[in-house]
């Protein structure tokens, strides 16, 4: 890990652990102040000059502490606007899903929509906001633009893929947190005269859990590393994002029941921390492309390559010049 | 804590050229291979192909030149292996010698043994098999009972090995045997390199449930073995054999055994496949890509001198589960009438039956998860 990424992670760990149970209103000013919005802005333009690996690392930590703020949008929006030649307005900028939904939309100053290759930056104040919540209890609002956009520009970026990138990173962090919590529980909870973790059946379930947590994290890191090599498809939906999001969804499917099974009723209370991770994981699994969406995208892509074409494609992408991490 | 930190896979040299070299050799031979031979390819034997790889300098790739090797990096070797497997090239003859017997002789063997076996292995002419399991020593390997007695003329071996894959194709076996008759469990075991044409060695086939002959029973009746066939240190066999197992857990063979099914599936369904099959291809692609990242990262850690025991068990557990699930998922999703007469139909029929063996070799899921749980501090 580079020295700058290490410093970045130390800073994020320190701040996000303090904000772990803080609501948006009190958390956001401190996140904004820390300057994450400039993470992907080049140094010569006054930014941090970070890469996708840095973004992955920070978003993973956000997931680890179940941050109550849309950090992915806050990091990606300024970069998108920079590429489109639009000066970012002050305040939180949200990224709209294809259906107009925006995480924490009511708290945003502006929202970015991309449709038919055109990026539009619209003010929330002039839009209709239909408030809603994700199944994790986070604001998930429908933004219907009212007046003319503040700015617009041609844009080839794929917002679903960018959102998926953030969710893979956050899911890896949240799954790690859920895993650590479960490990601690089975090590301390005593039944039948011994810690749950001494039972072989529990050990096997924990091993299964850790294997999936490993897969999601490996896929996420490799996804970020591939983007840093410039492996982006023309439509902005990198093959690696699709594969990593789908694999992440599959890992969540396996681990959600294990975490709760091993916790028993204790893990089912609103008070105990587990649900802060597991509810988010289940919300993220369905957001920015569920299994069917990404399996369809990937399946179409691979079918066009022909059977013998898939292997040369994935080896070419990973052999591309430069070190992976 | 990060459960699976990725390490960069960065082989030296021109990797693209190396891949092309392997693919070109495969193209010269693949017309001879049946669909069944292209599945589970590191078990299937084609001695001619193994010799061709040896001629091209692609076996013993990492071994020193004075033993017939090429002195290249373990990551270049990884590239060669994944190319062979992803193209369904039958590598069963040389696989074990190249993967573990040769490296073990390099690490523990005396000079005589190295000179006797390694050059032939690197040429693709000398093949070796694994002498670990016995009738009462399967997952519980420490129950090994085959016994080598020290006599003035050499070791005299009596006993039996079982489930010995491809022993009938091999010239030698690296066997774990008891050299201290009073010993129990892990103590008193040693490794011997045994020529299978010695008097008193009998190899009998065990036909597996696919109807093929890979498994064997190997009997030893008063087999006289020279003293210098002892590999490493007398009594240290258990430790050496465990090191041997570590060579085999995280390689690309742990998720690519059935890769040719994926290739044939994509080709069989045509340009406008039904949606459930598209979905399945997408899911399989995501898993293959993820497993490849995990396996490469573990190889890079091994190459850097780390000891990724847990990572290797994770790769094998996930990889075996995946390569076993793939034929079942394809059977469930694809209209069998569309496959009539195709290579995929034959591969599927074969692999559905062959796949239970994938999690036998190198540790069952239960054993692997036990290792992982130990790594988590639960045992």
């Amino acid at each position: 890990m580079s020295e700058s990424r290490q410093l970045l992670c130390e800073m994020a760990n320190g701040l996000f652990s303090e904000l772990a149970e803080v609501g948006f209103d009190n958390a956001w000013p401190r996140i904004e102040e820390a300057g994450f919005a400039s993470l992907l802005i080049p140094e010569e333009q006054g930014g941090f000059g970070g890469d996708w690996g840095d973004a992955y690392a920070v978003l993973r930590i956000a997931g680890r502490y179940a941050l109550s703020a849309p950090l992915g949008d806050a990091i990606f929006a300024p970069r998108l606007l920079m590429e489109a030649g639009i000066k970012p307005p002050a305040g939180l900028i949200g990224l709209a899903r294809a259906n107009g939904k925006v995480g924490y939309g009511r708290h945003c100053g502006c929202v970015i929509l991309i449709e038919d290759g055109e990026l539009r930056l619209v003010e929330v104040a002039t839009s209709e906001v239909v408030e809603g919540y994700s199944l994790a209890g986070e604001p998930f609002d429908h933004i219907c633009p009212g007046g003319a956009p503040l700015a617009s520009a041609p844009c080839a970026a794929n917002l679903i893929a960018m959102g998926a990138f953030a969710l893979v990173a956050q899911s890896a962090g949240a799954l790690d947190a859920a895993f650590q919590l479960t490990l601690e529980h089975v090590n301390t909870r005593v039944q039948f005269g011994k810690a749950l973790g001494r039972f072989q059946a529990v050990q096997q379930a924990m091993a299964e859990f850790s294997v999936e947590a490993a897969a999601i994290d490996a896929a996420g890191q490799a996804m970020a590393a591939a983007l840093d090599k410039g492996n982006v498809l023309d439509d902005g939906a990198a093959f690696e994002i699709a594969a990593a999001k789908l694999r992440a969804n599959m890992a969540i499917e396996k681990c959600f029941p294990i975490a709760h099974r091993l916790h028993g009723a204790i893990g089912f209370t609103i008070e105990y921390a587990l649900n802060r991770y597991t509810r988010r994981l289940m919300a993220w699994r369905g957001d920015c492309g569920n299994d069917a969406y990404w399996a369809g995208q990937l399946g179409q892509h691979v079918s066009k390559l022909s059977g013998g074409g898939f292997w040369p494609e994935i080896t070419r992408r990973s052999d591309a010049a430069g070190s992976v991490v | 804590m990060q459960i699976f930190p990725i390490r960069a896979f960065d082989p030296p040299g021109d990797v693209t050229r190396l891949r092309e070299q392997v693919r070109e050799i495969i193209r010269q031979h693949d017309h001879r291979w049946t669909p069944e031979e292209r599945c589970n390819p590191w078990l299937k034997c084609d001695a001619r192909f193994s010799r061709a790889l040896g001629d091209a300098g692609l076996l013993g790739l990492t071994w020193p030149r004075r033993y017939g090797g090429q002195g290249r990096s373990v990551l270049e070797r990884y590239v060669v292996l994944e190319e062979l497997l992803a193209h369904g090239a039958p590598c069963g003859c040389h696989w074990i010698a190249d993967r573990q017997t040769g490296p073990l002789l390099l690490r523990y063997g005396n000079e005589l043994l190295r000179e006797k076996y390694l050059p032939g292995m690197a040429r693709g002419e000398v093949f070796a098999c694994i002498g670990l399991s016995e009738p009462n020593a399967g997952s519980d390997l420490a129950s090994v009972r085959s016994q080598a007695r020290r006599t003035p003329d050499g070791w005299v071996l009596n006993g039996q090995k079982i489930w010995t894959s491809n022993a009938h194709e091999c010239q030698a076996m690296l066997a774990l045997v008891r050299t201290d008759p009073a010993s129990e469990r892990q103590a008193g075991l040693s490794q011997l390199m045994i020529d299978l044409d010695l008097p008193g060695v009998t190899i009998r086939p065990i036909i597996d449930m696919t109807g093929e002959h890979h498994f064997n029973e190997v009997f030893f009746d008063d087999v006289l073995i020279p003293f210098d066939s002892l590999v490493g240190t007398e009594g240290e066999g258990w430790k050496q054999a465990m090191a041997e197992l570590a060579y085999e857990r995280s390689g690309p063979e742990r998720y690519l055994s059935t890769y040719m099914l994926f290739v044939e599936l994509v080709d069989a369904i045509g340009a406008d496949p039904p949606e459930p099959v598209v979905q399945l291809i997408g899911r399989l692609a995501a898993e293959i890509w993820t497993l490849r990242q995990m396996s490469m990262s573990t190889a890079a850690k091994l190459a850097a001198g780390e000891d990724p025991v847990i990572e290797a068990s994770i790769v094998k557990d996930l990889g075996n589960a995946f390569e076993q699930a793939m034929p079942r998922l394809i059977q469930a999703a694809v209209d069998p009438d569309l496959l009539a007469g195709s290579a995929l139909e034959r591969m599927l029929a074969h692999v559905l039956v062959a796949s239970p063996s994938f999690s036998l070799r190198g540790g069952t899921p239960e054993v692997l998860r036990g290792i992982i749980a130990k790594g988590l501090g639960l045992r």
Side-chain angles (χ1 to χ4, degrees), chain B residues 184-255:
Chain B
E184 282 190 32
R185 307 293 298 165
Q186 286 89 347
L189 298 171
S190 302
Q191 286 188 302
L192 296 179
M193 191 71 178
I194 304 167
D195 287 328
L196 294 174
D197 59 0
L198 286 175
V201 177
T202 311
I203 300 173
R204 275 198 215 137
I206 300 175
I207 305 303
D208 67 35
M209 70 191 239
T210 69
E212 293 182 351
H213 170 206
H214 303 287
F215 279 152
N216 297 279
E217 292 178 287
V218 183
F219 298 91
F220 306 103
D221 290 309
D222 287 328
V223 182
L224 180 66
I225 298 165
F227 283 124
D228 50 31
S229 300
L230 175 73
V231 178
T233 311
E234 187 178 342
E236 294 289 304
W238 177 262
K239 208 181 81 199
Q240 293 171 202
M242 289 303 108
E244 183 181 354
L245 283 176
Y247 291 122
E248 61 156 310
R249 274 199 175 130
S250 60
E253 69 266 40
R254 295 310 178 185
Y255 76 102

Side-chain angles (χ1 to χ4, degrees), chain A residues 176 217 221 292 307 311 318-319, chain B residues 1-2 4 6 19 267 279:
Chain A
D176 186 6
D217 211 4
Q221 294 167 78
W311 186 258
S318 64
D319 287 345
Chain B
M1 182 189 111
Q2 203 143 10
F4 204 97
I6 285 276
R19 290 193 193 283
D267 284 340
Q279 292 272 324

Side-chain angles (χ1 to χ4, degrees), chain A residues 12-36:
Chain A
N13 260 313
L15 179 63
F16 298 167
S17 63
E18 279 179 40
L19 300 178
E21 293 187 45
V22 177
F24 175 87
D25 289 332
N26 293 318
W28 174 246
R30 299 200 46 200
I31 296 167
E32 193 173 33
E33 191 195 337
F36 287 107

